[in-house]
Amino acid sequence: MSNVSNEQWQVRKDVAFARGQGNMAPIFIDHAKNAEMWDVEGNRYIDFGTGIAVCSTGHTNPKVTAAVQEQLQRFSHTCVMVTPYSSAVELAEKLNELAPGNTPKKTIFVTTGAEAVENCVKIARAYTGRRGVIAFNGGFHGRTLLAMGLTGKITPYKNLFGPFPAEIFHAPYPVEYHGVSVEDSLKALEMLFKVDIAPSDVAAIIVEPVQGEGGFYPAPNEFMQALRTVCNEHGIVLIADEIQTGFGRTGKFFCSEYADIEPDLITVAKGVAGGFPLSAVVGKAEIMDAPLPGGLGGTYAGSPLGCTAALAVIDVIAGENLVERATQIGSIFGGRLCELQSLYPDVIGEVRADRGAMIAVELVKNGDAQQPDADLTKALVTLAYQRGLILLSCGIRGNVIRFLPALTISDELINEGLDIVEACFKELTVQ
Ligand SMILES: Cc1ncc(COP(=O)(O)O)c(C=O)c1O
């Protein structure tokens, strides 16, 4: 433990870091184990955030840690584009097998989620020879310029950073709770094809099967299926951005499986490597092979530490049935959050818990979906960490609490964390 307090570290951080890279909680972590973390002052936290959906197999998972330690003894970097190694090949083979659908697949590795997204667009453009990309309102695809251009939320991501890359168009994402039906979305897409860009000029449509940062809104199956049909009709590449929804998080290995569709390209990051920076694009082999040799990659692409960690993560997910466990976690959360909603019907507008361990509550005023309560959301996140629980918020209106626990969390810890959530609601809401 350090003898510097959280507060002192925060002061030093505020001086040393540009304000653009802020932190949600003034808590500096000393160590972490499975679904718990301890700060530099020895305070313990239950972690319902997993570093934004990354440590799905738990912090310092013993199998992942052992695999990385063993790799580290041998070598840490050679560059997969110079002298590759077996773990990268094995991982690509596994990802090709795990991706939904029967079409033969190929993989490339990069380092961050945003890079995976950017590479999807490059691959789709190379394959189709077309320029346009369609994304959705409320979508989040990363902080690099192209990914930000695709992102459908202004504050804080896009303010001050334009102009954005051209040829990106946004369509409404269906959210029944906010009065946007699947039909509305598809009609708007049709209109976009008439007003902004001909479908024959569109290289790709990119969609999150559950919008993450945008508010944890699951795409209805019929919407994903309709997008598949539109893409088939017009020769458009369908990209499923599964950076947050992939790797068992939603109760399927990839969330696209709910709609029983085969995306053309899938992004993989976050949960893939248990906290080591690794991302990938997995897709239909013919499409993946469109760019010329050397056109894709990066110095740290497919780091051996990340690849070894990912192979261990896949073993842990399979060995501990974590995909099924995600569904169980969703129902435990769902049950308790619905009980809470019945106590606070004017405050908890909607509970979303039907996509495994990607769970959310949307907070409103007067039970009205059109009156988001961002202040209460912020207050809840703050009170929760003061009481020893790490919660994350999200949502285009800033009024959604998202729950992203490790898939290895015990029922006891879930319930202990939810007791804190309940106590925070009681303290912050006047009945
Ligand atoms: C769906 C989705 N796409 C892309 C990204 C960007 O990933 P990264 O922050 O690793 O660049 C995120 C990150 O939250 C995400 O949730």
Side-chain angles (χ1 to χ4, degrees):
M1 226 181 308
S2 107
N3 51 13
V4 182
S5 69
N6 284 312
E7 200 181 334
Q8 288 166 321
W9 279 120
Q10 188 66 52
V11 169
R12 283 171 63 175
K13 180 185 173 249
D14 290 344
V15 173
F17 273 51
R19 65 178 186 161
Q21 193 166 36
N23 52 303
M24 181 200 83
I27 292 170
F28 289 75
I29 296 301
D30 179 77
H31 62 283
K33 191 169 188 323
N34 197 11
E36 293 166 285
M37 305 193 288
W38 287 264
D39 70 14
V40 289
E41 297 173 13
N43 301 307
R44 167 206 180 235
Y45 302 88
I46 296 171
D47 185 11
F48 278 179
T50 49
I52 321 188
V54 171
C55 297
S56 301
T57 48
H59 292 287
T60 55
N61 182 292
K63 289 183 183 145
V64 178
T65 306
V68 173
Q69 277 169 341
E70 193 276 331
Q71 172 63 47
L72 204 45
Q73 299 297 324
R74 294 190 294 122
F75 63 95
S76 59
H77 178 79
T78 63
C79 188
V80 82
M81 289 145 46
V82 180
T83 47
Y85 28 86
S86 57
S87 57
V89 179
E90 280 172 12
L91 181 60
E93 288 168 352
K94 286 238 154 101
L95 292 176
N96 295 340
E97 262 169 46
L98 287 163
N102 296 326
T103 315
K105 303 289 191 308
K106 284 195 173 187
T107 286
I108 58 145
F109 293 112
V110 272
T111 311
T112 66
E115 263 187 289
V117 167
E118 298 236 353
N119 277 281
C120 282
V121 173
K122 285 167 65 177
I123 295 165
R125 282 183 172 159
Y127 179 70
T128 58
R130 302 175 183 179
R131 58 192 172 90
V133 187
I134 295 172
F136 291 93
N137 298 350
F140 181 78
H141 300 289
R143 286 179 170 84
T144 54
L145 261 173
L146 176 56
M148 220 178 357
L150 296 167
T151 290
K153 180 180 174 186
I154 296 289
T155 307
Y157 306 119
K158 299 173 88 157
N159 307 45
L160 310 178
F161 297 133
F164 298 105
E167 308 300 347
I168 294 171
F169 305 89
H170 286 93
Y173 184 88
V175 179
E176 277 292 347
Y177 184 62
H178 288 289
V180 184
S181 66
V182 169
E183 201 188 343
D184 294 335
S185 266
L186 295 172
K187 269 194 186 150
L189 188 60
E190 243 173 64
M191 190 53 74
L192 198 149
F193 286 151
K194 289 196 170 38
V195 174
D196 288 315
I197 186 164
S200 54
D201 281 335
V202 177
I205 295 180
I206 182 164
V207 64
E208 290 163 273
V210 178
Q211 272 195 346
E213 182 57 34
F216 275 36
Y217 300 109
N221 291 340
E222 65 269 31
F223 180 65
M224 295 296 285
Q225 288 154 0
L227 290 184
R228 182 64 280 177
T229 306
V230 168
C231 287
N232 288 348
E233 273 171 10
H234 299 291
I236 297 169
V237 172
L238 180 61
I239 304 169
D241 185 349
E242 294 246 20
I243 283 167
Q244 199 158 158
T245 55
F247 265 71
R249 169 62 53 192
T250 66
K252 303 273 184 195
F253 201 91
F254 285 108
C255 189
S256 303
E257 293 166 40
Y258 276 103
D260 202 17
I261 59 155
E262 182 175 7
D264 297 310
L265 302 176
I266 298 178
T267 56
V268 174
K270 290 192 182 282
V272 60
F276 292 86
L278 179 80
S279 65
V281 178
V282 190
K284 293 181 179 167
E286 186 194 344
I287 301 176
M288 291 293 291
D289 270 336
L292 299 175
L296 306 174
T299 304
Y300 296 108
S303 139
L305 300 177
C307 289
T308 323
L311 288 168
V313 163
I314 291 172
D315 280 351
V316 172
I317 290 176
E320 297 180 22
N321 297 319
L322 294 185
V323 179
E324 294 74 15
R325 177 65 184 154
T327 303
Q328 278 173 7
I329 290 172
S331 36
I332 300 172
F333 270 87
R336 283 207 54 186
L337 292 170
C338 286
E339 277 171 27
L340 203 60
Q341 188 185 31
S342 65
L343 294 177
Y344 303 98
D346 287 346
V347 175
I348 301 182
E350 191 171 64
V351 174
R352 295 189 277 279
D354 64 352
R355 287 291 185 272
M358 199 166 173
I359 308 137
V361 290
E362 181 151 350
L363 305 184
V364 296
K365 294 175 187 158
N366 307 312
D368 180 2
Q370 299 318 313
Q371 296 183 50
D373 201 341
D375 291 340
L376 176 63
T377 308
K378 225 183 221 168
L380 220 119
V381 167
T382 304
L383 189 60
Y385 70 66
Q386 289 166 349
R387 299 278 187 276
L389 173 70
I390 301 298
L391 287 181
L392 303 176
S393 63
C394 66
I396 196 161
R397 300 164 193 82
N399 67 325
V400 177
I401 301 278
R402 52 173 154 173
F403 303 92
L404 288 161
L407 307 182
T408 46
I409 193 171
S410 65
D411 288 5
E412 289 70 28
L413 271 187
I414 296 175
N415 282 312
E416 191 185 334
L418 285 170
D419 288 345
I420 298 174
V421 173
E422 208 172 311
C424 291
F425 265 98
K426 203 166 173 183
E427 201 166 323
L428 292 171
T429 57
V430 185
Q431 287 296 291

